[in-house]
Amino acid sequence: MNIRWHMDRDPGGDLSEGLLPVEVLEGQRYRHAGRHRQWQHGRFLSKSLLCHEAQFLGLQTTKPEQIRIQRMSAGWPQAQNAEGRPLPISLSISHCGDWAVSAACAQSAGHVGVDLERVESRSQHFIGDYFTEGEQGLLGPLAESDFDTRVTAIWSIKEAVLKALGTGLADPATSVEVLTLPQAHKDNWKKAQVQLTGAPNPKVRWRLVEDDLVLVLAQLPVGSWCMPSA
Ligand SMILES: CC(C)(COP(=O)(O)OP(=O)(O)OC[C@H]1O[C@@H](n2cnc3c(N)ncnc32)[C@H](O)[C@@H]1OP(=O)(O)O)[C@@H](O)C(=O)NCCC(=O)NCCS
């Protein structure tokens, strides 16, 4: 998949080091202290990822203050140089409580989407509203011990793919359909087959981390479609 990713738990302390004044201003949109901290953690982690993986990603940049991560109006993060020129990479961020994950690939490799979700019980209404009939068939009996994990994985795959597309949940969740969901174990990637309405099929991998978190990486090939700016 040619994707690099970093995941960590909020280390505490000051995470504003390396943020540009324009980013500090942008962060003020998050008025809830917990969400602001998540946003700051995501920026900190993403800049660290881009600096550590600069060579792999084909970037000259090796210092956090040389990178700006701008929130585009559709919500997706665009990596730019300090002057605001887009860097030739695709970047995606996800938060779950005090965990964050950031993933990036060279623009020539496609568009990346990452999602992190805690395994939890979701209602039959939720499944009926957001899962196709085929996906409901992948879940198996409600009594099975991994039922909640499978529901969480399918949901997380949808979010990761819609992030790679740049629309998020502004597009219907059913526009992403999971066709196969091989059982993943802790720290062991599995490929899921996924189809997407109106765009080429994404490559998708999922795994369990830290016992109760589902991590998904999705990648869409470079194509004639483009990320929405609005
Ligand atoms: C993008 C979305 C799927 C994120 O899901 P989530 O599980 O709530 O949150 P996550 O922590 O996994 O992801 C949040 C990150 O997604 C990224 N993101 C937001 N909108 C995005 C988009 N349209 N495309 C790609 N990435 C997006 C951001 O980097 C954000 O983190 P940041 O603000 O700290 O930079 C969801 O919030 C969304 O679709 N928002 C758009 C608004 C909308 O239409 N809502 C309808 C609700 S039914």
Side-chain angles (χ1 to χ4, degrees), residues 30 35 38-39 43 71 74-77 92-96 114-117 159 162-164 166-170:
Y30 301 102
R35 180 65 181 98
Q38 283 188 329
W39 168 84
R43 264 43 189 180
R71 179 190 185 279
W76 55 275
S92 183
I93 298 170
S94 182
H95 313 279
C96 186
V114 68
D115 195 61
L116 189 62
E117 291 282 332
E159 289 210 329
L162 292 174
K163 283 184 186 178
T167 57
L169 290 168

Side-chain angles (χ1 to χ4, degrees), residues 101-179:
V101 58
S102 174
C105 66
Q107 208 169 47
S108 54
H111 295 267
V112 67
V114 68
D115 195 61
L116 189 62
E117 291 282 332
R118 192 166 304 283
V119 175
E120 56 190 29
S121 175
R122 288 174 168 84
S123 70
Q124 288 299 321
H125 277 303
F126 178 91
I127 294 169
D129 282 350
Y130 297 121
F131 287 18
T132 65
E133 277 183 27
E135 288 168 336
Q136 293 178 36
L138 296 175
L139 296 175
L142 186 60
E144 294 266 317
S145 59
D146 67 348
F147 185 86
D148 291 341
T149 303
R150 298 178 78 74
V151 173
T152 305
I154 291 176
W155 177 246
S156 191
I157 288 172
K158 288 172 183 282
E159 289 210 329
V161 171
L162 292 174
K163 283 184 186 178
L165 197 58
T167 57
L169 290 168
D171 268 3
T174 47
S175 63
V176 179
E177 179 164 30
V178 181
L179 303 175

